[in-house]
Amino acid sequence: MSRSTPEYILAALPTHQTASLPHTRPVRVTDTLSIGGSEVVIAAGPCSIEGFDMLLASARHVKAAGASLLRGGAFKPRTSPYAFQGLGDEGLVIMAEVRDRTGIPIVTEVLDTRQVDRVAQIADVMQVGARNMQNFALLAELGRCGKPVLLKRGASARVAELLLAAEHVMANGNDRVILCERGIRTFETGTRYTLDISAIAVLKHETHLPVLVDPSHAGGRSDLVMPLSLAAIAAGADGLIIEVHPNPPAALSDADQQLTFEQFSDVMKQSARVAFACDRTIKLPDLNTRTAAESTEISPPFDLRRPARDKVAVA
Ligand code: PEP
Ligand code: MN
């Protein structure tokens, strides 16, 4: 991509204008939450909203562990039409009720232009999934929705195409775009996708938009979420979006990659240490971040002995 004449104009500001060091402009989500500042922001929750109780339990846990956003899909883009498609509008109602009870803001996917108004009434952040990154009608509609947009990179999209997708949202009036690297399709079969760590650094150079990383969909395996999370923070990610489920083996979607509550708490604690080493912070309500980061205890941050699996889910 050319530095002198970027095809993306809005997504490139102000880096290209000033020719200065990469500069991220925080995106305001609520009065008390922004993404892209010194705090590494964590979104967490189940792949799909499967019911009220499981979402409430998930929200309570991830919030207590330090997450600032609750994730969960009501409308699910499944590779197979016979797989669970999400609870739809009922899932949105459940999400709103859980947000009211816990106070945690919510990020959820919008699949279709016809859903934008309904989802925007409830969501604090509108998620565009990888499969929809170049749904230009949807992107334009989200430009007019009045809510921040979490734009996930398509599995086969180049960084420049991700930025042009962001440009579609911005050119239609919405500059609150957060980018998400979630793994790309490569020849590798040991993981579901390949987390493109380089893309984090490239994006931080090319745009002022904040960058989140999704280690869950990238690796497709719960045992990879810890190392990929730590690598993402070290590479400069402004936050993570992580799948967490009260009982992962019973999950109706993405069972292999969802973390238990306990595993998620561990990821939060180790992530805080890496964030601290990178002059950033992670909010840990029940742990002092500085104390955790300065701990002299030396232990591997994740279990290197766990055997690799030979099968990776595709749906
Ligand atoms: C998701 O986050 O629920 C999801 C479907 O992810 P992706 O669009 O990255 O596959
Ligand atoms: Mn999922």
Side-chain angles (χ1 to χ4, degrees):
M1 68 192 88
S2 156
R3 281 173 183 279
S4 52
T5 53
E7 290 173 288
Y8 37 90
I9 311 295
L10 302 168
L13 291 175
T15 309
H16 286 287
Q17 264 197 343
T18 60
S20 64
L21 287 170
H23 173 76
T24 301
R25 194 193 293 164
V27 165
R28 186 182 57 80
V29 175
T30 66
D31 288 346
T32 54
L33 176 67
S34 291
I35 300 178
S38 61
E39 185 183 332
V40 176
V41 171
I42 311 296
C47 175
S48 301
I49 299 162
E50 299 172 7
F52 179 74
D53 291 345
M54 65 81 73
L55 193 69
L56 183 63
S58 303
R60 286 188 170 142
H61 183 83
V62 301
K63 187 179 177 198
S68 301
L69 277 162
L70 174 67
R71 65 145 289 147
F75 300 101
K76 295 302 300 177
R78 303 307 301 283
T79 302
S80 164
Y82 309 116
F84 176 59
Q85 304 291 309
L87 296 180
D89 288 306
E90 188 193 337
L92 291 181
V93 173
I94 290 173
M95 248 198 155
E97 175 68 24
V98 167
R99 191 232 339 256
D100 286 352
R101 290 211 195 182
T102 59
I104 188 168
I106 53 189
V107 50
T108 195
E109 181 162 351
V110 54
L111 279 182
D112 189 296
T113 50
R114 291 166 295 185
Q115 296 162 357
V116 170
D117 287 345
R118 270 136 71 204
V119 178
Q121 273 175 26
I122 289 186
D124 297 283
V125 178
M126 310 282 281
Q127 178 174 322
V128 178
R131 292 156 189 81
N132 258 328
M133 189 204 84
Q134 286 187 317
N135 180 338
F136 299 119
L138 179 62
L139 299 177
E141 205 56 41
L142 290 169
R144 300 182 277 268
C145 78
K147 291 283 172 86
V149 174
L150 176 65
L151 179 61
K152 297 188 94 175
R153 180 182 182 183
S156 302
R158 292 174 188 268
V159 165
E161 290 165 331
L162 172 61
L163 287 169
L164 284 169
E167 193 81 17
H168 275 267
V169 178
M170 299 175 86
N172 282 282
N174 187 353
D175 63 359
R176 289 196 288 164
V177 179
I178 303 143
L179 305 171
C180 181
E181 161 58 39
R182 46 75 75 204
I184 53 173
R185 186 81 88 191
T186 69
F187 52 79
E188 180 56 63
T189 56
T191 47
R192 186 176 179 186
Y193 298 94
T194 297
L195 181 63
D196 186 1
I197 290 283
S198 315
I200 304 166
V202 173
L203 286 168
K204 298 295 283 186
H205 259 279
E206 295 290 328
T207 175
H208 63 282
L209 299 174
V211 180
L212 248 56
V213 168
D214 178 343
S216 306
H217 290 88
R221 291 168 28 180
S222 57
D223 61 316
L224 296 181
V225 171
M226 175 78 89
L228 297 185
S229 297
L230 303 186
I233 295 169
D238 296 300
L240 304 170
I241 178 164
I242 296 177
E243 287 190 343
V244 179
H245 191 283
N247 181 14
L252 297 181
S253 58
D254 288 350
D256 289 349
Q257 69 196 35
Q258 303 208 56
L259 299 186
T260 62
F261 292 167
E262 199 187 351
Q263 288 169 330
F264 177 66
S265 295
D266 285 346
V267 169
M268 290 298 294
K269 287 173 199 158
Q270 298 293 355
S271 294
R273 300 172 77 178
V274 174
F276 182 81
C278 299
D279 288 332
R280 303 192 69 173
T281 56
I282 284 190
K283 191 173 48 122
L284 292 181
D286 47 351
L287 254 191
N288 180 310
T289 306
R290 219 180 144 72
T291 308
E294 288 178 343
S295 163
T296 50
E297 180 200 342
I298 310 231
S299 59
F302 46 87
D303 189 353
L304 295 166
R305 291 156 302 179
R306 187 172 165 145
R309 297 195 206 163
D310 54 5
K311 270 198 172 165
V312 176
V314 292

